[in-house]
Amino acid sequence: MAFTWCVRRSASRLASLCSTRMVRVRSISAVVNSPSLAPTSSPSRPFALYSTAIDRMSSEQSLLRVIDSEINTALQIDDPDLDEEMAPGSFPFKIEDNPGHQTVTLTREYKGEHIKVVVSMPSLDGDENDDEDDDDDGHSNGSSIPLVVTVTKKSGLSLEFSCMAFPDEIAIDALSVSNQGSTLEDKLANEGPDFECLDENLKKTFYKYLEIRGVKASTTNFLHQYMMRKVKREYLLWLKNVKKFMEE
């Protein structure tokens, strides 16, 4: 009886142990086969990446076509030979114009003086044909060119005029005296009074002073045309640089 009881007890424990292990195996199998852990398949992802790449290429190609069209239009308008033809026969200055720079420098020698004119890009504040858009001095605000005229003596002493060139006329805004090596503070200290506050005869004398040295209406009229063409040339250069970037 004792032996039979031991056998039954051992069989019962073995059955219980096997049952527990089967439950664990099923639990592990359920976890392993869970949809959340199964490798996901995304057949649409490669297509999405391919589609994005195609869209990007199409966008860049479209941009390049528009840039090419703009370049061709600008090339048809631009004729560098006209710059020399536009200069008046008595134009006394040497022109220094570097592509990519926003200014043009004119230089000449006159009776022992070195004259330099720094010409900035035109300021287009409105319609060039709008005669009603005038400032307080009666100048047209449609188109103007900032000029800085520096007349330097052999001693290094300079007279600097800040001007604005309008069609057929020049307006002096300010003038100052400086020496070679002068600091900005020195130049500010020597700016003098407001030019408009000067005596009329003195103002006329300064305008005559510039005219004798070649800074006059015929010069600024040429500069206006020249700088308007430079605006177009700089735009063409910018387009070419953008195209070069897009093609790399």
Side-chain angles (χ1 to χ4, degrees), residues 192-217:
D194 188 343
F195 187 80
E196 287 303 316
C197 296
L198 297 179
D199 178 78
E200 285 298 322
N201 288 330
L202 184 56
K203 288 193 289 186
K204 289 178 181 178
T205 303
F206 277 123
Y207 280 113
K208 189 65 176 180
Y209 179 89
L210 289 179
E211 182 181 344
I212 292 173
R213 285 156 179 77
V215 184
K216 50 188 177 181

Side-chain angles (χ1 to χ4, degrees), residues 216-245:
K216 50 188 177 181
S218 60
T219 301
T220 57
N221 285 344
F222 160 71
L223 288 176
H224 176 79
Q225 298 176 56
Y226 186 94
M227 296 305 289
M228 292 300 293
R229 291 177 58 76
K230 180 173 173 64
V231 169
K232 296 175 182 178
R233 289 198 301 272
E234 294 301 324
Y235 176 58
L236 177 60
L237 178 62
W238 176 80
L239 286 172
K240 289 180 177 179
N241 288 336
V242 173
K243 180 182 178 181
K244 181 180 179 181
F245 170 82

Side-chain angles (χ1 to χ4, degrees), residues 8 27 45 58 60 86 90 95 103 119 140 149 211 230:
R8 289 179 179 174
S27 298
R45 183 171 178 78
S58 176
E60 291 179 356
M86 287 190 305
S90 59
I95 301 175
T103 59
V119 188
S140 172
V149 183
E211 182 181 344
K230 180 173 173 64

Side-chain angles (χ1 to χ4, degrees), residues 29-46:
S29 176
V31 171
V32 169
N33 294 323
S34 171
S36 63
L37 297 180
T40 59
S41 176
S42 179
S44 62
R45 183 171 178 78

Side-chain angles (χ1 to χ4, degrees), residues 90 92-94 106-111 113-117 210-215:
S90 59
F93 292 96
K94 177 184 176 182
L106 311 180
T107 56
R108 70 169 299 197
E109 302 296 325
Y110 177 80
K111 294 184 177 181
E113 298 173 344
H114 178 72
I115 302 171
K116 181 175 74 171
V117 183
L210 289 179
E211 182 181 344
I212 292 173
R213 285 156 179 77
V215 184

